[in-house]
Amino acid sequence: MIIPIGAQNAYVINQGISREHHMTTASICFLCDIILISSGIFGGGALLASYPVLLNTITLAGIAFLTMYAWQFIQNARQPAENDVSTPTMSRGRRAVIIGALAVTLLNPHVYLDTVVVLGAIGGQFAFDERVAFTVGALLGSCLWFYGLSAGAARLSPWLSTPSIRRLLDILMASMMLFVAIKLALGLYTRLVAG
């Protein structure tokens, strides 16, 4: 669930490519996952699932959020290649990077659906000791993913920064976000029809 390129992963990749506080970005995403995954598995997922209106509201917000980010990536991909080369990137301070990481994590309803609802529903079925093991495994996966993604993007930065690759990444990220938004919309439609 964590692997599809959504707003959060796109932000981590972009920070890795620019090499601006990319490990801080990975740390923020991982710390948020610790809180969200743990709360989902130990009761938050069941609580959220028991309030369909809240779940549907989060889903609608997720669809809007992902569609907006997809549109931004489409706009980036449409920029002429000369702009990518001639326009220097502005350096961002640590505080701005932290706020950005918190925004793409905590203001992204898709994160809640994945961590709190889905993982909470799966982990909530287990006995307490198995829940602990499941939580540790999920958090280990999250840790490896965010730090690996950040370090990998930084390492491949010279190649990933070329205009043609950036354009391809923008198109790929926009496509993934639209795909997830459509999936969320279909799930919402199914819930509304069934309910």
Side-chain angles (χ1 to χ4, degrees):
M1 290 182 325
I2 200 171
I3 291 174
I5 304 296
Q8 186 184 44
N9 287 338
Y11 187 81
V12 173
I13 290 170
N14 284 330
Q15 291 308 122
I17 291 171
S18 66
R19 296 181 184 192
E20 289 183 341
H21 310 292
H22 57 287
M23 287 302 170
T24 299
T25 301
S27 297
I28 295 293
C29 293
F30 176 57
L31 289 172
C32 287
D33 263 11
I34 290 173
I35 295 165
L36 294 171
I37 290 172
S38 299
S39 67
I41 292 172
F42 292 99
L47 180 66
L48 189 58
S50 66
Y51 292 99
V53 173
L54 181 59
L55 182 59
N56 292 343
T57 303
I58 289 173
T59 303
L60 277 173
I63 293 166
F65 184 86
L66 291 168
T67 303
M68 178 192 70
Y69 260 88
W71 179 250
Q72 287 179 350
F73 279 111
I74 290 168
Q75 293 304 320
N76 289 344
R78 294 178 65 201
Q79 296 296 318
E82 305 87 46
N83 289 353
D84 293 340
V85 175
S86 63
T87 306
T89 56
M90 246 176 88
S91 182
R92 297 173 61 196
R94 182 182 304 270
R95 183 174 180 210
V97 170
I98 290 171
I99 290 170
L102 288 170
V104 297
T105 302
L106 300 177
L107 299 179
N108 179 357
H110 192 253
V111 170
Y112 293 99
L113 292 172
D114 283 349
T115 58
V116 179
V117 177
V118 176
L119 285 178
I122 295 168
Q125 301 173 30
F126 301 125
F128 182 79
D129 56 336
E130 293 170 331
R131 277 190 208 185
V132 172
F134 183 81
T135 304
V136 169
L139 292 176
L140 181 60
S142 172
C143 179
L144 292 173
W145 175 254
F146 285 122
Y147 286 106
L149 188 63
S150 183
R155 179 110 172 122
L156 297 173
S157 165
W159 180 70
L160 293 173
S161 295
T162 62
S164 59
I165 298 299
R166 281 305 290 235
R167 182 170 287 116
L168 181 64
L169 281 174
D170 286 336
I171 292 168
L172 177 66
M173 290 178 192
S175 302
M176 285 302 297
M177 287 183 206
L178 287 175
F179 173 75
V180 173
I182 290 167
K183 227 170 82 171
L184 285 174
L186 291 173
L188 176 63
Y189 176 77
T190 303
R191 282 197 309 272
L192 291 174
V193 169

